[in-house]
Amino acid sequence: MPRLDPFFTEWSARRPGQHRSLKRAAALVHELGLDRHKVPVLGVVGSKGKGTTATYAAAALTASGTGTVLVTGPSFRSYRERVRRDGTSVTEQELAGLASELEEARRSLPPVSEFDGYLAPSGMFLIAGLLHARNTGAQVCVLEAGMGGHRDELRLIGPQVVAMGKVFGEHLGVLGDTVPEIAREKALVAGVHTQALVSLPQTSEVEDAVGDALAEATGDVVRAETVEPDTEGVWPPPDLRPPGLSAASGVLGVAAADRMLGLMGRQSAPEDRLIRVLGGVRLPARLSRHAVPGHTGEIIVDSAINGEGVAAALAHARGLWGGVDHVLLCLPDHKDVAGAEQALAGIPVTAVRLPEAHLRFDHALPSQWSRIDADAVTPGSIAALGDRVLALGTVYFTGRVLDAVEAVTDTLFSPS
């Protein structure tokens, strides 16, 4: 495993009440010369589905012959997955090289005490993506925001195109006290470089909030453009979209990529090539299906975090298998535990606790549910639950499950 100190050093040493510093991140970008080597950026924000949107955008760009660096997060099995070129993760040697370049530049900066905060890990990976694009001669970057907002490094980098997924009450009390406030904050990743914002349909209140934020951020130049997944003829067709609730995110990604190609003066991919590339997209932990090593059973893994997502995943599994033997569920208290409980009524469930100190698992659960720690999730323990197991919950958990079943996560799609 390559040294990852520069990604996490300042975050690990942060003081209580200290926040990420865009000023320090800007200084790092300047030290690396990335402000002089401007690669067009497609930024992705939203409450859910950002990774799917970013992946489909990168796939559509790559299919057009445009060399594409994709940055997503969090990772599942390796930090190498955070940075990809044309659908494939960087190698350990490439990540180590990026880490060394970042560390050398970081050490050249004045001390953290002279800034208003620290370099955040998610921002460091975004900067690593820009660095990898320069090192490999990529023509465009697709960058997934963290929570998004005017404090996100994506705003500092300055996306030419913003893709906005559906906005709902995720991060209430953090990014805003209402859904429109959250939407406004997420839209503020736009700035003077932004030429387009492509959005899934939103409520009228969210549309108004996004419009106001765009007017403020772009000098009233950019208007939101809505892509309607249910409109006849919208690409990709249903058989090339991801399953379940992720389908709309796939449509958004392709639409945003097409908008970016137009701004770059490049042609969209020929239809046959686009069909081949999109048809080969594989999304780990988004209703992904895997064999259980050493056993005859299967497991479907999905990063559902609310009742609607849990119900959709359950319906998908039943459609494939005809039934579900058991569900592994890992939802910290700040997720929609009550909604998941309602969706899983009558299904055998084992609730899983994670060891991360910042996650709480104190929500009262049904007495008939079993409870285990995440370290107990192994191929053997999964197989003991039945031949048709559904694993649902936060990415911290689904990454562990993918690791347990040795899922392939390095390649999301092939360029041809």
Side-chain angles (χ1 to χ4, degrees):
M1 176 65 70
R3 261 181 96 242
L4 295 172
D5 290 353
F7 294 100
F8 298 97
T9 297
E10 294 191 5
W11 174 81
S12 298
R14 70 194 185 282
R15 301 188 305 275
Q18 194 176 35
H19 299 286
R20 67 201 309 148
S21 171
L22 288 193
K23 186 182 298 184
R24 188 163 175 79
L28 181 65
V29 167
H30 179 75
E31 184 68 26
L32 290 163
L34 293 172
D35 51 351
R36 300 182 294 277
H37 177 82
K38 192 67 176 174
V39 178
V41 169
L42 190 164
V44 181
V45 299
S47 297
K48 184 68 175 169
K50 296 191 297 295
T52 300
T53 299
T55 299
Y56 271 74
L61 289 164
T62 299
S64 74
T66 306
T68 306
V69 166
L70 168 66
V71 179
T72 57
S75 53
F76 292 105
R77 299 190 64 192
S78 167
Y79 285 114
R80 294 186 297 104
E81 300 165 12
R82 299 290 292 268
V83 182
R84 302 174 188 264
R85 171 67 194 262
D86 296 332
T88 298
S89 302
V90 295
T91 64
E92 288 196 7
Q93 292 75 18
E94 287 173 325
L95 185 59
L98 293 171
S100 295
E101 289 186 75
L102 288 169
E103 180 69 351
E104 182 179 354
R106 189 186 73 83
R107 289 181 177 276
S108 298
L109 300 181
V112 174
S113 59
E114 295 187 20
F115 290 83
D116 55 349
Y118 56 87
L119 293 169
S122 59
M124 293 292 280
F125 279 107
L126 291 188
I127 295 170
L130 296 180
L131 189 57
H132 191 56
R134 183 178 71 185
N135 291 350
T136 63
Q139 287 91 39
V140 66
C141 285
V142 178
L143 306 180
E144 177 189 343
M147 286 190 290
H150 75 278
R151 292 184 297 271
D152 196 285
E153 287 79 4
L154 179 58
R155 175 177 177 267
L156 166 69
I157 291 166
Q160 276 76 12
V161 174
V162 176
M164 175 172 280
K166 193 74 175 177
V167 180
F168 52 84
E170 185 81 349
H171 306 308
L172 276 172
V174 179
L175 291 183
D177 294 327
T178 67
V179 173
E181 287 180 7
I182 292 172
R184 171 183 167 78
E185 180 68 13
K186 289 181 180 291
L188 286 175
V189 298
V192 295
H193 298 292
T194 303
Q195 297 173 267
L197 184 146
V198 184
S199 174
L200 287 177
Q202 311 283 352
T203 66
S204 59
E205 293 84 2
V206 166
E207 287 181 356
D208 290 344
V210 170
D212 290 344
L214 270 181
E216 174 185 326
T218 69
D220 207 21
V221 171
V222 177
R223 297 285 189 277
E225 306 163 22
T226 301
V227 57
E228 297 273 0
D230 295 332
T231 301
E232 186 175 353
V234 169
W235 263 79
D239 61 328
L240 291 177
R241 299 177 187 181
L245 298 180
S246 295
S249 298
V251 172
L252 175 62
V254 172
D258 195 54
R259 193 70 169 89
M260 174 62 91
L261 287 169
L263 291 172
M264 295 173 68
R266 300 179 70 99
Q267 295 294 315
S268 298
E271 187 170 304
D272 59 342
R273 182 180 173 89
L274 188 58
I275 289 172
R276 288 197 304 273
V277 175
L278 294 183
V281 172
R282 297 293 179 265
L283 296 169
R286 281 114 174 160
L287 295 175
S288 57
R289 185 178 182 180
H290 310 275
V292 180
H295 302 274
T296 59
E298 289 187 324
I299 187 167
I300 291 175
V301 186
D302 190 64
S303 301
I305 57 171
N306 58 27
E308 181 185 17
V310 169
L314 187 60
H316 178 79
R318 284 169 167 163
L320 286 175
W321 291 331
V324 173
D325 296 325
H326 206 97
V327 172
L328 286 167
L329 179 72
C330 180
L331 290 182
D333 292 346
H334 67 282
K335 302 297 185 183
D336 182 19
V337 183
E341 180 182 338
Q342 183 176 359
L344 294 171
I347 305 292
V349 176
T350 295
V352 183
R353 294 179 294 259
L354 289 167
E356 281 76 8
H358 68 286
L359 299 176
R360 307 295 301 174
F361 292 88
D362 298 326
H363 192 285
L365 300 175
S367 59
Q368 68 271 23
W369 287 14
S370 302
R371 294 165 178 79
I372 62 171
D373 290 327
D375 290 343
V377 178
T378 64
S381 67
I382 293 169
L385 300 175
D387 289 336
R388 304 169 301 178
V389 177
L390 183 59
L392 305 172
T394 181
V395 172
Y396 293 101
F397 166 66
T398 54
R400 283 174 172 261
V401 176
L402 293 174
D403 199 47
V405 300
E406 301 173 11
V408 176
T409 56
D410 274 345
T411 300
L412 299 179
F413 58 85
S414 173
S416 58

